[in-house]
């Protein structure tokens, strides 16, 4: 489990084919401090397992399924990624409960800069649109955010200066693709309603 509070920005170093998936190397520093073999790290919202560690970064195996359903397919050496270690028992939950399970990708429709803040508008795939609500939580490329505006097939988030400078979201532009994880509570409610409706039918 994660909180969506980014600890540092790392860099994709290498991608190597491995069976029906890949092995990816990420350069990092802060998240390496207490990293052990088998630990989980959220990489731009994708939960990956560290299988190797060195002084400059870590290596993780990525399944083909993950590559198909996330923006990871577009990552190349040099791509910047948001990094967060898994939450420990007793940690403050400053963001919201994040699993690192990407529901869908979204395209950046517009970036509207302000004096200090920036507003990011994203399209919403039909599969997740009903799970995104005004003032609800959403995870974009691993960053915990609050929905500031929402429409039928789009949503907006307002990015504070800290988010703009400490994550990759400050570098996004129109047409970029991001990973989206909806609120786990919304997904559970959706499932209960689906089951209830199937029983009533």
């Amino acid at each position: 489990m994660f909180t969506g509070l980014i600890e540092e920005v790392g860099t994709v170093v290498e991608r190597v084919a491995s069976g029906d998936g890949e092995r990816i190397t990420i350069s990092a520093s802060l998240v390496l401090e207490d990293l052990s073999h088998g630990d989980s790290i959220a990489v731009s919202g994708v939960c990956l397992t560290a299988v190797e560690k060195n002084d400059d970064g870590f290596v993780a195996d990525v399944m083909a399924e993950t590559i198909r359903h996330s923006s990871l397919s577009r990552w190349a050496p040099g791509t910047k990624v948001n990094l967060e270690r898994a939450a420990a028992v007793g940690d403050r939950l400053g963001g919201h409960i994040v699993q690192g399970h990407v529901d869908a990708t979204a395209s950046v429709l517009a970036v509207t800069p302000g004096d200090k803040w920036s507003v990011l508008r994203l399209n919403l795939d039909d599969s997740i649109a009903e799970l995104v609500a005004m003032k609800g939580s959403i995870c974009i490329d691993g960053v915990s955010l609050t929905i500031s505006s929402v429409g039928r097939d789009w949503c907006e988030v307002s990015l504070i200066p800290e988010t703009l400078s400490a994550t990759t979201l400050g570098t996004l532009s129109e047409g970029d693709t991001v990973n989206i994880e909806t609120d786990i509570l919304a997904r559970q409610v959706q499932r209960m309603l689906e089951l209830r409706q199937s029983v009533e039918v």
Side-chain angles (χ1 to χ4, degrees):
M1 187 187 84
F2 306 93
T3 67
L5 299 183
I6 303 307
E7 296 183 89
E8 69 171 313
V9 174
T11 305
V12 175
V13 175
E14 184 181 44
R15 292 176 59 168
V16 179
S18 177
D20 66 348
E22 292 187 20
R23 180 161 280 203
I24 186 169
T25 302
I26 307 287
S27 69
S29 56
L30 179 62
V31 299
L32 301 178
E33 291 178 357
D34 58 354
L35 184 68
S36 298
H37 180 88
D39 283 352
S40 295
I41 294 187
V43 182
S44 284
V46 181
C47 178
L48 298 179
T49 300
V51 295
E52 292 180 16
K53 170 190 172 184
N54 55 45
D55 293 339
D56 301 316
F58 65 94
V59 178
D61 289 320
V62 185
M63 297 183 297
E65 178 78 2
T66 302
I67 297 170
R68 281 195 300 270
H69 291 93
S70 71
S71 66
L72 197 152
S73 61
R74 297 174 174 83
W75 298 353
T79 298
K80 299 297 183 182
V81 289
N82 296 318
L83 301 176
E84 179 192 358
R85 288 169 289 188
V89 175
D91 281 354
R92 291 185 177 89
L93 187 60
H96 71 283
I97 297 174
V98 175
Q99 295 180 298
H101 302 163
V102 175
D103 293 311
T105 58
S107 296
V108 176
L109 299 176
V111 178
T112 306
D115 290 339
K116 292 185 178 180
W117 295 56
S118 182
V119 176
L120 194 65
R121 177 174 286 207
L122 305 169
N123 78 304
L124 293 176
D125 187 87
D126 287 344
S127 64
I128 63 168
E130 65 182 359
L131 301 174
V132 180
M134 181 68 177
K135 296 186 179 179
S137 296
I138 193 169
C139 190
I140 300 174
D141 271 355
V143 183
S144 173
L145 296 164
T146 301
I147 302 299
S148 56
S149 187
V150 65
R152 169 66 184 82
D153 59 358
W154 59 268
C155 72
E156 289 182 346
V157 291
S158 298
L159 307 179
I160 62 173
E162 174 67 15
T163 303
L164 292 170
S165 64
T167 75
T168 61
L169 300 191
T171 66
L172 292 174
S173 57
E174 185 177 337
D176 286 344
T177 300
V178 294
N179 293 318
I180 300 292
E181 180 181 335
T182 56
D183 190 348
I184 185 175
L185 298 178
R187 297 202 304 271
Q188 294 296 336
V189 170
Q190 181 189 52
R191 177 61 175 160
M192 288 188 292
L193 290 174
E194 287 175 352
L195 291 175
R196 183 172 298 176
Q197 289 169 357
S198 67
V199 170
E200 291 174 351
V201 172

